Amino acid sequence: MSTVFQVEKMSCNHCARAVTKAVQTVQPDAEVKIDLATGRVEVSPDLPQPAVAAKAIEEAGYPARLAQ
């Protein structure tokens, strides 16, 4: 299973690295897959507290919410 976020304002590899780093501060062993074109961020394995990861992403400067 995985947790999927919709993240705004990502436009380059630097953005992707910043988002990955933010997620991995919360879940160090997480695998993060980012699609810059759609703003989709998939985190595996499933995060036990996705709101904490979303907050970390937002604190890095990228508005984030759980994707539906």
Side-chain angles (χ1 to χ4, degrees), residues 36-52:
L36 290 173
T38 64
R40 181 180 164 96
V41 176
E42 183 176 350
V43 181
S44 299
D46 201 18
L47 295 172
Q49 296 180 322
V52 174

Side-chain angles (χ1 to χ4, degrees), residues 12-67:
C12 65
N13 287 332
H14 176 269
C15 300
R17 284 191 302 274
V19 169
T20 298
K21 183 177 178 182
V23 170
Q24 290 177 336
T25 61
V26 174
Q27 187 75 26
D29 63 339
E31 178 182 339
V32 182
K33 295 180 184 176
I34 296 178
D35 184 338
L36 290 173
T38 64
R40 181 180 164 96
V41 176
E42 183 176 350
V43 181
S44 299
D46 201 18
L47 295 172
Q49 296 180 322
V52 174
K55 184 177 182 200
I57 295 168
E58 289 184 6
E59 288 175 353
Y62 304 92
R65 60 180 165 73
L66 280 173

